[in-house]
Amino acid sequence: MADVLAIVLAGGEGKRLMPLTADRAKPAVPFGGNYRLIDFVLSNLVNGGFLKIVVLTQYKSHSLDRHITKTWRMSNLLGNYVTPVPAQQRLGPRWFAGSADAIYQNLNLIDDERPKYIIVFGADHIYRMDPRQMLQQHIESGAGLTVAAVRQPLREADQFGVIDTATEGPDAGRLISRFREKPKDAVGLADAPDQIYASMGNYIFTTRALVDAVTRDAMNPESKHDVGGNLVPMFVEKGDAQVYDFTQNVVPGSTERDHAYWRDVGTLDSFYEANMDLISVHPVFNMYNYDWPIYTAYDPMPAAKFVRGADGTEGQARGSMVSPGAIISGSFVEDSVVFPRTSVLQGSFVSASVLMDRVVVEPGARVQRAVLDKGVVVESGAQIGIDLAHDRARGYTVSEGGIVVVGKGQRVTAG
């Protein structure tokens, strides 16, 4: 769509996903076998026909920049592009102070394209969405800002940015009357008292309104220069912000079970749970929806292989996703996500785990409720995720939910 520019915010540090973000930006974290987190927002935009996309990056962005450059190539002939834009310090020797400041420091991108509308989406959520439907509501409303919201249980309101809407007037239920971060006293929706609107971190702005807002915000020394924390309240105060109910979004090929699925993978537990959402018989999030594909790069690899070990034991996987290039040899994998080029060898056992690219589980090892980053080796006879106190003592990260996370390239030794 020629009159729309999409801006993807991908500059966050992702501290709560350490050690997975020790040397990569959060949107570059691998997910679900073949993908990276950023592939989901880019696929939603591209499937929706939005083909001019800039990705604002900052921290540890090399692998993210490389992934975008190698994977997300558009037709130059038609003027389409997906391009990473690092912090350029165009306004002086400083990094982005927040998401609103990131837009302000890149106003030249808006000047170059001169769009009527600007989509500003986050880069690290797992979901399918047709953004055309949100844009249509935005245009029809005449508002300066539309905020996408997902319905969440009222009891979890203190985990989200919560949107309250007007209860009277022509825009009742849509006009945002208040936006609060993690309130303790949230009130349920009029049509669902046990639910609240949680901001998805996805916004559509009318261009002039956005440019004016980020310019004013840049002049405020007390601002944290954040889109959600500062720009949204600015629009709400002048009655120029509306909510888009994500449950109204209809994606081709979606099922009743995965309709309006959205997960913020901001913590190790939510990242683990989102991977587990993929592997049931009727998955909570269906990666096999070919009507709205999630795109990514595919290296030339053979199919996954299941072979007998030296003692004749069959390599088996049950209730799992096993990616191309993986080898399950005389071992057993259950309820897990196995990434490409990973090997699970003779007599080893893997349960309820996420094994990223090129992990090796050597003979006789045991892995349970763990996330193993790229290149991790679990040595013969070693175990991880079985004794959490022992894992902590050895320096491995253990999440609040009891998931053990081993950083890139580490070796898990026996004993």
Side-chain angles (χ1 to χ4, degrees):
M1 297 185 181
D3 57 353
V4 178
L5 175 67
I7 297 176
V8 175
L9 302 173
E13 290 185 80
K15 292 180 179 178
R16 294 184 297 165
L17 277 184
M18 289 287 287
L20 301 180
T21 50
D23 66 350
R24 62 165 76 93
K26 181 179 174 183
V29 171
F31 178 85
N34 294 326
Y35 307 93
R36 292 179 185 254
L37 294 181
I38 196 168
D39 291 327
F40 291 83
V41 63
L42 293 180
S43 295
N44 287 326
L45 290 168
V46 168
N47 285 331
F50 301 102
L51 304 178
K52 294 184 178 181
I53 306 170
V54 294
V55 182
L56 305 188
T57 66
Q58 182 160 247
Y59 296 102
K60 301 174 183 175
S61 64
H62 172 66
S63 63
L64 178 60
D65 293 340
R66 184 178 59 189
H67 176 71
I68 294 170
T69 301
K70 290 176 61 178
T71 306
W72 289 93
R73 294 189 174 186
M74 297 295 177
S75 171
N76 292 329
L77 181 66
L78 300 178
N80 303 323
Y81 56 83
V82 178
T83 184
V85 180
Q88 302 178 74
Q89 300 189 351
R90 297 176 65 92
L91 302 179
R94 63 183 179 87
W95 299 110
F96 299 148
S99 53
D101 184 54
I103 297 171
Y104 179 68
Q105 289 199 44
N106 286 283
L107 286 179
N108 62 296
L109 304 175
I110 297 172
D111 290 338
D112 290 344
E113 288 295 340
R114 299 184 180 276
K116 291 182 181 178
Y117 307 101
I118 297 176
I119 294 174
V120 179
F121 279 12
D124 46 24
H125 300 143
I126 305 301
Y127 67 112
R128 276 191 177 89
M129 176 185 187
D130 183 350
R132 293 171 296 190
Q133 297 164 33
M134 181 178 173
L135 176 64
Q136 185 63 35
Q137 178 187 306
H138 176 79
I139 294 172
E140 291 174 355
S141 73
L145 165 65
T146 300
V147 183
V150 61
R151 292 174 181 243
Q152 295 289 334
L154 175 63
R155 64 179 182 277
E156 298 178 8
D158 59 357
Q159 301 176 32
F160 299 101
V162 174
I163 295 169
D164 295 334
T165 58
T167 56
E168 299 178 352
D171 293 324
R174 279 194 178 178
L175 181 68
I176 300 177
S177 59
R178 186 166 55 168
F179 178 82
R180 295 184 294 163
E181 288 288 350
K182 302 178 180 180
K184 301 290 186 182
D185 59 346
V187 178
L189 300 175
D191 63 346
D194 60 338
Q195 297 179 343
I196 49 94
Y197 277 142
S199 173
M200 296 170 62
N202 287 355
Y203 314 96
I204 296 181
F205 294 88
T206 300
T207 299
R208 180 175 294 179
L210 175 61
V211 172
D212 289 347
V214 296
T215 302
R216 280 198 292 150
D217 177 75
M219 302 300 110
N220 181 2
E222 297 182 0
S223 174
K224 293 183 179 179
H225 308 296
D226 180 71
V227 173
N230 300 106
L231 294 194
V232 173
M234 191 184 301
F235 281 86
V236 170
E237 185 177 351
K238 59 182 182 179
D240 199 23
Q242 293 209 4
V243 66
Y244 175 74
D245 186 345
F246 182 50
T247 62
Q248 303 303 309
N249 197 261
V250 179
V251 173
S254 65
T255 65
E256 183 177 349
R257 183 163 169 79
D258 76 345
H259 171 70
Y261 176 96
W262 176 84
R263 191 182 285 269
D264 179 357
V265 289
T267 66
L268 292 172
D269 285 327
S270 62
F271 174 81
Y272 171 82
E273 290 161 4
N275 274 279
M276 295 298 104
D277 284 344
L278 308 178
I279 58 176
S280 62
V281 176
H282 300 291
V284 183
F285 184 70
N286 180 23
M287 293 300 300
Y288 299 89
N289 178 359
Y290 300 113
D291 293 331
W292 195 269
I294 305 301
Y295 298 103
T296 193
Y298 292 97
D299 294 336
M301 288 179 288
K305 183 167 67 171
F306 300 80
V307 296
R308 294 184 180 91
D311 65 354
T313 302
E314 294 281 359
Q316 300 180 59
R318 182 176 64 195
S320 301
M321 293 177 68
V322 182
S323 301
I327 299 174
I328 313 297
S329 175
S331 55
F332 186 70
V333 175
E334 67 175 4
D335 303 329
S336 297
V337 180
V338 180
F339 284 54
R341 292 172 285 250
T342 283
S343 299
V344 184
L345 304 178
Q346 176 72 45
S348 58
F349 176 78
V350 175
S351 175
S353 295
V354 178
L355 277 55
M356 293 190 187
D357 195 81
R358 293 187 173 90
V359 166
V360 178
V361 181
E362 293 186 344
R366 293 179 62 85
V367 180
Q368 179 175 298
R369 286 175 55 81
V371 176
L372 308 184
D373 205 341
K374 286 185 175 182
V376 167
V377 176
V378 184
E379 295 185 353
S380 295
Q383 64 180 33
I384 190 80
I386 311 296
D387 184 340
L388 299 186
H390 183 55
D391 292 335
R392 287 192 187 94
R394 291 192 291 173
Y396 300 121
T397 299
V398 180
S399 73
E400 291 183 4
I403 306 302
V404 182
V405 184
V406 181
K408 184 186 291 188
Q410 294 189 36
R411 297 187 71 89
V412 179
T413 59

